Amino acid sequence: MEESSIVRESVAPSLPPTPPVPLAALLSRDDLGLRQITGPPAADVTIHGAHTSEMSDPYPYLLGGELLLTAGVHIPEAAGAGSSYFDDYVARIVAAGGAALGFGVAPVHDTVPAGLVAACEAYGLPLVEVEPRTTFSGVARAVWQLMAQARMAELRRITEAQQGLAAAASRPDPVPSVLRRLAGRLE
């Protein structure tokens, strides 16, 4: 067992308190021009953050749940159809709990390498093409904005529930009123 996996198992990081966002919400933003190439449906994939890395092994730097963004600087010229480079790379992202991979076309690559597409398909990792006009900073900012919106919606929901319970508790017969309110909230 490698040292990095020993550390990951003994100190499992907790996920951030902010609710994750569906990859579909990110893909639906026209200003980013993102396109999913392969992987499970975007509605089934949640993102807990965004991270940019040009490391050939990003495993030690991922906490899990990230959209990993790369321009493929780390890809050796010899990596092609017969190379195991892409399989190894994607396997490490999946092992680290990466939620999806965003590949920026240009300035290094004109297209997403076919070997990367095949590896992502084989491992079930969503692969998203990031067009040249879209910066990784812009993608990361959009992820954080969507997460902030999700957090605000969650806080609004909790506040409304608390206000409803407080109003029910202030009624002349509070116990049945609070129980009805709770039953309605908890279905």
Side-chain angles (χ1 to χ4, degrees):
M1 186 177 281
E2 294 181 324
E3 183 178 314
S4 59
S5 55
I6 292 170
V7 170
R8 190 171 304 269
E9 289 173 22
S10 63
V11 184
S14 62
L15 294 174
T18 302
V21 295
L23 178 59
L26 190 62
L27 294 176
S28 71
R29 296 212 17 182
D30 292 332
D31 60 321
L32 297 175
L34 303 175
R35 181 177 69 93
Q36 185 172 354
I37 296 173
T38 190
D44 298 342
V45 178
T46 56
I47 304 294
H48 287 272
H51 179 70
T52 301
S53 176
E54 294 302 335
M55 303 293 290
S56 60
D57 181 10
Y59 182 96
Y61 309 100
L62 298 176
L63 297 175
E66 295 95 346
L67 166 63
L68 178 64
L69 300 165
T70 184
V73 172
H74 55 86
I75 299 172
E77 285 186 34
S83 168
S84 67
Y85 181 82
F86 293 116
D87 278 344
D88 295 342
Y89 178 68
V90 172
R92 296 292 285 169
I93 295 169
V94 170
L101 177 63
F103 191 88
V105 290
V108 181
H109 298 272
D110 294 332
T111 61
V112 179
L116 182 59
V117 174
C120 286
E121 193 169 296
Y123 283 92
L125 182 67
L127 177 61
V128 175
E129 180 183 81
V130 182
E131 66 178 33
R133 71 172 174 88
T134 303
T135 64
F136 289 170
S137 299
V139 173
R141 179 177 292 146
V143 169
W144 299 124
Q145 286 171 345
L146 289 167
M147 290 175 75
Q149 290 168 0
R151 183 67 174 153
M152 288 301 295
E154 180 68 11
L155 291 173
R156 223 177 281 111
R157 187 188 68 76
I158 291 169
T159 300
E160 289 169 2
Q162 288 174 333
Q163 289 171 343
L165 288 172
S170 68
R171 295 208 167 113
D173 197 10
V175 173
S177 185
V178 168
L179 289 175
R180 274 193 303 279
R181 193 63 82 141
L182 280 172
R185 282 284 178 183
L186 301 176
E187 300 176 5

